[in-house]
Amino acid sequence: MVHQKKLVDEVSGWLRLYDDGSVDRTWTGPPEVKFMVEPVPAHDEFINGVALRDTVTNNNVRVRLYLPEKVSNEEKLPIFLHFHGGGFCISEPDWFMYYQFYSELARLARVIVVSCFLRHAPENRLPAAIDDGFSALLWVHDVAGRETEEPWLEKHGDFRRVFLIGDSSGANIVHEVAARAGKTQLKQISVAGGIPIHPGVMRSTRSRSELEKPQSPFLTLDMLDKFMSLALPLGSTKDHPIACPMGDGAPPLSGLKLPPFLLCLAEMDLIFDTEMEYYEAMRKANKDVELFVNEGVTHSFYLNKIAVDMDPNTGAQTHALIARIKRFVEEH
């Protein structure tokens, strides 16, 4: 008799979990937005000013590299190590939503982007994705030390200006990887800064912004609760240090050796209040942290290509975000 697997749980059209432990991440939301979650093939030729290449690191993390056009032999570009979002449970860095933003960022900010394919929960609960992110940083270190090869980084990368950047849950990984880097001797590279964008920081109790601000395609209360329950170590609440780095259960921020941070927030983000709590805790711990808030927009607004093209404010705020990141890199 063939066992008919049963649906155990689902998350806002993004993910379905079955009783046999299998996970289906097929997009079941509106078909008109499906193009944003479809993969963009790598291309060695320059298209819209950027070339893409996929490779696998010497510690078995798959990465995608973005190289901007017209780099002279003498020019050395900052390196962005990018961690995608998705609540640690969904999304891939080759999706169109990331391609359209990070190709633009690579081109306009004149940086090489190294985007990591992170393991997903619940098959691989945290800290798996953080381990992958840190492994990718160690790979960049090995390339700098000529222990392994990556032609674009070797020829064009400035290993003294490595920046960590992440979206949503990927911004949590920025914090965690930066903290690990601060405890590790990395003689071949310098982590010059961290750029957490809309970090998924929260508490087990609802904040005022969670109760009052609008839910959006990229963050609903359902996603907030269920992704964390699937991703955090078994038995954990949202007060776990990965979700709540400013909480009592987290290592004291004052004891962490962190690079300068540019914390990027969205005014209408569901989790704006706890993001601001994180910012204030970083300042209280005397960390070098700058704050940039985009007005009138929601969580991960800049990844929503339809809104970027159709809504004047979303488009303008996306350009402002890129410009602010560019200035932070130029200043560090």
Side-chain angles (χ1 to χ4, degrees):
M1 183 176 172
V2 178
H3 172 69
Q4 188 75 27
K5 65 181 181 181
K6 295 179 181 178
L7 183 68
V8 174
D9 208 350
E10 59 181 323
V11 186
S12 301
W14 291 100
L15 175 150
R16 284 150 303 286
L17 181 65
Y18 293 93
D19 61 352
D20 64 355
S22 62
V23 180
D24 180 9
R25 295 182 174 85
T26 306
W27 171 248
T28 60
E32 61 269 21
V33 302
K34 187 175 185 293
F35 74 95
M36 287 196 288
V37 301
E38 291 181 338
V40 175
H43 48 82
D44 278 333
E45 71 278 15
F46 289 97
I47 299 175
N48 296 325
V50 175
L52 300 180
R53 181 159 68 216
D54 294 339
T55 190
V56 178
T57 71
N58 59 349
N59 42 30
N60 207 34
V61 177
R62 186 180 166 207
V63 295
R64 163 159 289 191
L65 290 92
Y66 296 70
L67 179 70
E69 199 171 13
K70 297 178 181 175
V71 185
S72 68
N73 289 332
E74 296 76 28
E75 188 179 8
K76 296 294 185 181
L77 302 181
I79 299 167
F80 273 22
L81 186 60
H82 169 241
F83 313 121
H84 65 77
F88 306 107
C89 293
I90 60 167
S91 89
E92 301 287 359
D94 60 358
W95 281 6
F96 179 80
M97 68 169 68
Y98 295 110
Y99 169 78
Q100 59 90 20
F101 181 76
Y102 282 94
S103 58
E104 186 88 341
L105 185 60
R107 185 174 63 83
L108 294 178
R110 301 293 293 167
V111 299
I112 300 172
V113 178
V114 179
S115 190
C116 306
F117 288 77
L118 304 168
R119 282 176 290 172
H120 292 129
E123 301 96 323
N124 302 281
R125 284 183 177 262
L126 293 167
I130 298 164
D131 293 341
D132 292 344
F134 189 63
S135 291
L137 180 66
L138 295 179
W139 170 73
V140 173
H141 180 270
D142 287 350
V143 174
R146 306 287 171 157
E147 294 181 39
T148 189
E149 296 181 352
E150 205 310 300
W152 286 359
L153 293 181
E154 290 172 55
K155 187 174 182 180
H156 302 299
D158 183 351
F159 293 103
R160 310 317 300 176
R161 298 176 72 205
V162 176
F163 293 83
L164 309 175
I165 186 169
D167 324 279
S168 191
S169 58
N172 298 57
I173 298 176
V174 167
H175 178 94
E176 296 293 332
V177 170
R180 289 192 190 186
K183 296 185 291 186
T184 308
Q185 280 202 330
L186 299 172
K187 295 181 179 179
Q188 304 295 335
I189 64 173
S190 176
V191 178
I195 308 169
I197 309 176
H198 311 173
V201 292
M202 60 199 75
R203 291 185 179 273
S204 57
T205 53
R206 289 268 187 250
S207 67
R208 183 174 177 178
S209 61
E210 286 175 54
L211 295 171
E212 296 182 356
K213 298 212 172 189
Q215 301 185 63
S216 70
F218 290 138
L219 190 62
T220 64
L221 293 175
D222 186 51
M223 294 166 69
L224 198 64
D225 296 342
K226 290 182 179 177
F227 281 156
M228 287 299 102
S229 70
L230 293 171
L232 289 169
L234 286 170
S236 301
T237 70
K238 287 187 286 188
D239 294 317
H240 188 280
I242 296 172
C244 189
M246 65 287 189
D248 293 338
L253 293 173
S254 59
L256 302 181
K257 183 182 177 183
L258 299 173
F261 270 28
L262 172 64
L263 176 62
C264 301
L265 305 184
E267 180 188 20
M268 303 307 292
D269 199 327
L270 267 182
I271 50 177
F272 185 80
D273 286 1
T274 39
E275 291 171 330
M276 283 299 298
E277 188 184 348
Y278 170 66
Y279 169 66
E280 295 296 347
M282 289 277 280
R283 286 189 62 197
K284 187 176 179 181
N286 294 315
K287 298 305 171 189
D288 183 350
V289 55
E290 301 174 52
L291 178 67
F292 178 70
V293 180
N294 285 110
E295 297 178 356
V297 283
T298 58
H299 192 82
S300 296
F301 68 92
Y302 56 95
L303 298 178
N304 186 343
K305 180 62 172 170
I306 296 174
V308 169
D309 289 345
M310 301 296 291
D311 176 61
N313 185 55
T314 302
Q317 294 296 329
T318 299
H319 291 308
L321 175 62
I322 291 174
R324 185 63 186 90
I325 292 171
K326 182 176 186 286
R327 180 155 66 90
F328 179 75
V329 172
E330 290 170 347
E331 292 170 349
H332 296 83

